[in-house]
Each structure stands twice: as C-alpha cells, then as structure tokens.
C-alpha cells in the first residue's frame, strides 16, 4: 500500500505516473491519445500505459491505494462516465471507470480542472491552505474550488466554472451562449483572436498571422512588442477582475493561476494584481495571495493522483 | 432549554423575538435604535427589549439555548466586536457581545446577511437544501452562502459579497472603489438613481421626483408605468446575470432572493429568470431553483435565532 496511480487523459496525449502519497512523481509515461479509433483503442492505450508504468516502477496493482483519472468535460463521477468530451467525442457516455478498473483497486474519475485544483492543494502552491480557488487559463478558462480542505463540486458536480462568469455584460459572444464571459476576454483563444484582429487591422507587431497563438503573444510581449504587451495587459486586467469577483464572493486564502498563461509571467501577473487592487474589497484582498501554480508540467498526473487522496482519505 | 432569542440590530430599529428551535416566532418587540446617544444607550435598549420579551414569553434566561445577534457591517465574530457599522458608527470597535451577555447564556454575533441566509436555510425557502446562496437586494446588495449545510464565511469572514461582483467592467462607479458592481446596477439605490435620472431627462412617468425610492418604482411598474417597468426589467436582468455567475461558479441547489426587491414580484423575477436562461450553463441552471425569501418581515429575528442553531448545533 501507499502508492497512487495518476492518469491524465487529454485530447492529444495520455499521461500516466506513479505518485507517492507525499506527491513525489516516480515512473511516468506519455502516449498519444488514439483519436477517432473508437473507445476500445482509448481503453487499451490507457491500460497498456498503466501496466507499463507499474512494471517499470516495480509496483504491483495490490500496492496501489487507488487510481485517479482526470478527464476533460462534464462527467458523472458516481457512474464513472464522461458525459461530454469535446475533444474525444467517442467517449461521450462511455463507462470509462468500469473499463479501466483492475484487480479491485479503487478508481476515481474526476474533471481535469478539479483534479488540478486538488493537486495544487495537496502538493503544489496550495499546500497548507484550506480555502482556495484554482484558475486555469489555456485555450479556455476552467477552475476548481477547495473549501475547508475539500473539493467543492456543487449539487450536480459542475461548480468552478470561473471561465463562464460574466464580467462585461455586453461583451463578446461566448460558445456557452452567454456574452462577456471571462473566457471570451482573457483565455488563450481570446488573446490569439485579439492579436489576429489587430494584425488584420494593420497594427505593427513582430507577431505573424500564421501560427498565431497565445504563447506567441506572451513571447512577443516578453520581448517588448507593443501590441503583444497591450493585449496581454488587457487580458490580465480582465482576469484580475474575474479574480476580484472570486475574492469578494469567496474570501479565499489563495487564488492559484495555472495553465499556459503562467508562461506570460509578470506581463500577465502585474495587470492581474492591479485589477485586484482596484476592484476587490480591502479586507478579503489583503487576506488572499495570488500565486502561479506549483506543479507545472506534472499538474495533470499529480492532480489525478490527488483525487485518490481526496476520495480515499 | 429549547428556546432561542433572536436580536436584529438595525440602523433604525432593534427587533427582539423568542423563537423555538423549529423556527416558530413567539413574543416579539420592536424598539427604535437610539442613534447618536452613545454605546450605553444602544446596549440598554437591547437589554431592556430582551428582558421584556422574555418576561412576556414567560421564558427564563436559563431556558435559552443561546442568543443570536444580527448586525450590519463587517464584524469580528470571535471577539464579538462590530468593526464598521455605517449606520451606527458609535458601535465601531465596541465589544457588543460581551456587553449583552447575560447569565452564562451563549451569545453569538453575526453579519445580518449571513444571519438571514441561515434563517432561510433553517426555517424559510432554503429548508432541505444544503447548498444555497441568499441574495438580499435593498438599499445595497448583500449575500450569504450556505455550503454543505454550513454558513461559508471565508478565511477572514467576509465571504458572500455578491453585491460587489463586477458584471460590467466599465459600469457605474461603486462606493467600494470598483466599477460596474452588481450593486451599482440592480440595488434599490441604483433603481431610484436611474428613475431620477430618467425623470430629469424629461421621460414621462407617473413617478414623482420627490420621495422617489425603489419601492415607488416597483409600485409604478406594477401599475403599468412604462418607465418604471423598463427600469425594473433592466435591474432584474442585471441581477439575473449576477445570479448566473453564482450558478456557474457554485452550482447551488437554490438561490433565494430577499430584501425589498421581493415586493416587485414577477416584474423583477421574470427578467431574472430570462437572464439565467440566456446566461447560465444548462446543467447547473437546471439544478437550481430561484425562490423569493420565505421569512418576510421576520427574516431579521429568525435569522439571528438561526445563528444560535448553527453555532451551538
């Protein structure tokens, strides 16, 4: 006993790792996600990766406290079913947990943003803090809420949709059907879209229209490009307004920022902090630290492993 | 044993009532708050009202499980001190709980919006629902969050500031220093301000500039006045956007609307519900009922009494 197996199931890659209860990541393996080949292929790839990692680590199935699987999209944890995976539609409604279970070892399925929140709480920038909000900014904006040292899931398991809180009532239309959601103003997609629009309008920049993404904008901002800095600054300010709403509503001890956005460094954290100074109430703002995520590349696997600790104690 | 004493301390009145553990309000008394006469006058008035209510109810101090005091503004619960009472500045920093304690009966001080949330949860529209957000819309907009059947206070006790969540990033300036807070767009003060501005701009209406307040706007809306309906509708829509943010973030089972706004009835609830349909994510929106508060005039006293149940179990 004493080992955790973390599985991070993404649209492009599957990552599996053996993790100690203290959060030390041992053997790990990354394989591409077999897309469009049916559910059996996904299940086979995950099972093979799990077996291989355990073999390399010389850990038997029986020595595992449990397996945690972080997966995108809304899911039914109790039933172990992914309800809607935009990047892996073949898994919609598929009983994944049952298909992956092995030798009586408990297996827990969890939304990936919630898993990452648990990972930061147990092993990362959230250690020692019972009330925190994890916000991940990549293509979209997701989140997970830890209250009183437990993941707060809400009545139907969808809590934490920070990206779909409105901060500009008549802002850009959002894929969710609303307008002015934080995701339309501060996500990687929003940043790339704003940069493309500015280039199309003839703005000068080192940015090239081809292959334009948020990472390119962050790099250009870091190199002093005026347009890239302006876009990063504005996205950071909006993100800070959304975080101010979290601070006023939940009075958390920490807000942890993860995802691709962390690459932008001070160019993004500075305007986030300015917005919080200008927008959040003094008492809860003073009580809250805003920190970059601590687990970096390992967030997926460590978060999935942390799900086991939360579920199995 | 078995009785609760609820004290609702407001800027204009003090209300005291004897309440059963099941939430039945027995003897009650309302006295004006002695303003500007120093702390001793406030303490004397509350103590006299408590004694008189217990005498009429023929309940001895020793038969009380505890006394709950709901008070405005941020406070230090542990120390029993009101930190900042905008309408009762003489109480700033005063150790009110110690001054009111009597005969070893436990006395609990709580923010009035939190107390009202507890009251709705225990005795009102929130009964049977472990995860709910109470939103009160009167002069300002306040709130209280119940999660897992407990009041969620946050790390410094200020959680639930629904009125200071931004829904329009460049909206009207707010007293808190931010812009576009829900309170600047949907509170009673905002409604009265919008009506006054429209009248000053020459809009036709049955509303009179003199004595204009939100209640007058609600009444005129109910009577079919076009301007009043327009203002009520817009405020309701903004309120619904704020509630959609709560739904997406917290996935609560219920959102309970209290305060003066409840007078507006369908004129306000209809646009609230329309906003939730247009703005909130489908799964959490389907799981959430939006209900008017159930305790009406008795919310203050019953909420204060409910604080005892939460604290003393």
């Amino acid at each position: 006993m004493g080992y955790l197996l973390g599985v991070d199931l993404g649209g492009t890659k599957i990552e599996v790792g053996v993790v100690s209860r203290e959060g030390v990541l041992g053997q790990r393996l990354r394989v591409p996600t077999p897309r469009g080949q049916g559910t059996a292929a996904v299940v086979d790839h995950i099972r093979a990766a799990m077996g291989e990692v355990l073999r390399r680590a010389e850990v038997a199935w029986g020595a595992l406290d449990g397996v945690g699987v972080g997966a995108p999209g809304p899911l039914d944890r109790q039933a172990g079913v992914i309800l809607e995976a935009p990047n892996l539609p073949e898994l919609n409604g598929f009983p994944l947990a049952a298909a992956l279970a092995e030798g009586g070892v408990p297996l827990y399925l969890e939304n990936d943003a919630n898993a990452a929140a648990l990972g930061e709480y147990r092993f990362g920038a959230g250690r020692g803090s019972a009330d925190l909000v994890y916000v991940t900014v990549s293509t979209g904006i997701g989140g997970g809420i830890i209250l009183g040292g437990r993941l707060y899931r809400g009545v139907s398991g969808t809590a934490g949709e920070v990206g779909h809180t409105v901060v500009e009532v008549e802002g850009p239309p959002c894929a969710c059907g609303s307008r002015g959601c934080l995701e339309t103003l501060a996500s990687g997609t929003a940043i790339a879209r704003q940069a493309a629009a500015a280039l199309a309008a003839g703005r000068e920049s080192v940015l090239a229209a081809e292959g334009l993404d948020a990472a390119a904008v962050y790099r250009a901002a870091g190199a002093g490009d005026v347009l890239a800095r302006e876009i990063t600054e504005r996205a950071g300010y909006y993100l800070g307004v959304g975080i101010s709403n979290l601070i006023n509503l939940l009075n958390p001890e920490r807000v942890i920022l993860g995802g691709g956005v962390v690459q932008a460094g001070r160019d993004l954290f500075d305007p986030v902090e300015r917005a919080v100074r200008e927008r959040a109430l003094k008492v809860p703002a003073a009580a809250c630290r805003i920190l970059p995520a601590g687990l970096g590349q390992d967030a997926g696997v460590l978060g999935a492993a942390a799900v086991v600790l939360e579920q199995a104690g």
Side-chain angles (χ1 to χ4, degrees), chain A:
Chain A
M1 299 293 278
Y3 289 99
L4 315 168
L5 193 62
V7 179
D8 180 25
L9 171 58
T12 57
K13 60 175 177 55
I14 296 161
E15 210 159 345
V16 180
V18 176
V19 179
S20 77
R21 292 183 67 94
E22 293 70 41
V24 179
L25 176 58
Q27 288 293 330
R28 63 191 298 176
L29 194 62
R30 178 186 290 198
V31 297
T33 306
R35 291 171 70 168
Q37 299 170 39
T39 51
V42 178
V43 169
D44 287 350
H45 273 66
I46 299 175
R47 291 183 70 97
M50 292 196 297
E52 176 62 17
V53 155
L54 288 174
R55 195 188 60 75
R56 290 192 200 167
E58 301 181 13
V59 168
W61 276 99
L64 291 176
D65 286 347
V67 181
V69 181
L75 42 82
D76 182 334
R77 280 187 320 123
Q78 250 74 39
V81 172
I82 298 178
L83 297 177
E84 199 188 327
N87 295 322
L88 277 172
E90 54 265 57
L91 289 185
N92 291 358
F94 179 73
L96 185 67
L100 295 178
E102 174 86 35
V105 178
L107 186 142
Y108 308 99
L109 192 62
E110 185 56 83
N111 169 275
D112 51 7
N114 280 348
L118 282 169
E120 290 294 332
Y121 167 59
R122 291 279 185 171
F123 308 132
R127 263 179 304 187
S129 170
D131 298 311
L132 66 85
V133 183
Y134 171 77
V135 180
T136 172
V137 183
S138 295
T139 317
I141 295 183
I145 303 174
I146 307 279
L147 300 179
R150 306 282 303 172
L151 183 63
Y152 175 74
R153 294 183 172 89
V155 69
S156 37
T158 71
E161 289 286 2
V162 179
H164 297 289
T165 55
V166 172
V167 293
E168 189 162 275
V169 75
E170 295 302 333
C174 185
C176 77
S178 182
R179 303 186 75 91
C181 292
L182 200 53
E183 187 160 296
T184 68
L185 298 160
S187 66
T189 308
I191 286 169
R193 190 192 65 229
Q194 289 160 19
L199 292 180
R203 281 287 304 267
E204 232 173 274
S205 168
V206 301
L207 290 166
E210 198 124 333
L212 187 60
D213 61 8
V217 177
Y218 301 148
R219 279 193 305 272
D225 182 72
V226 172
L227 174 64
R229 290 183 70 97
E230 194 180 296
I231 289 169
T232 306
E233 156 93 20
R234 188 167 53 211
Y237 191 83
Y238 277 118
L239 187 57
V241 171
I243 289 172
S244 300
N245 285 354
L246 295 174
I247 289 173
N248 288 355
L249 200 59
L250 295 177
N251 185 19
E253 204 174 346
R254 298 190 197 161
V255 170
I256 298 172
L257 276 177
V261 81
V262 175
Q263 300 164 39
R266 295 310 327 166
D267 287 330
L268 196 113
F269 276 78
D270 283 346
V272 164
E273 287 169 2
R274 182 166 63 81
V276 170
R277 275 196 310 277
E278 293 179 8
R279 303 294 189 133
L281 296 167
K282 297 287 167 286
V283 173
C288 184
R289 292 171 65 195
I290 300 171
L291 299 171
L295 302 180
Q297 301 287 354
D298 302 330
V301 169
L302 286 170
V307 173
V308 178
L309 291 180
E310 208 236 1
Q311 291 293 305

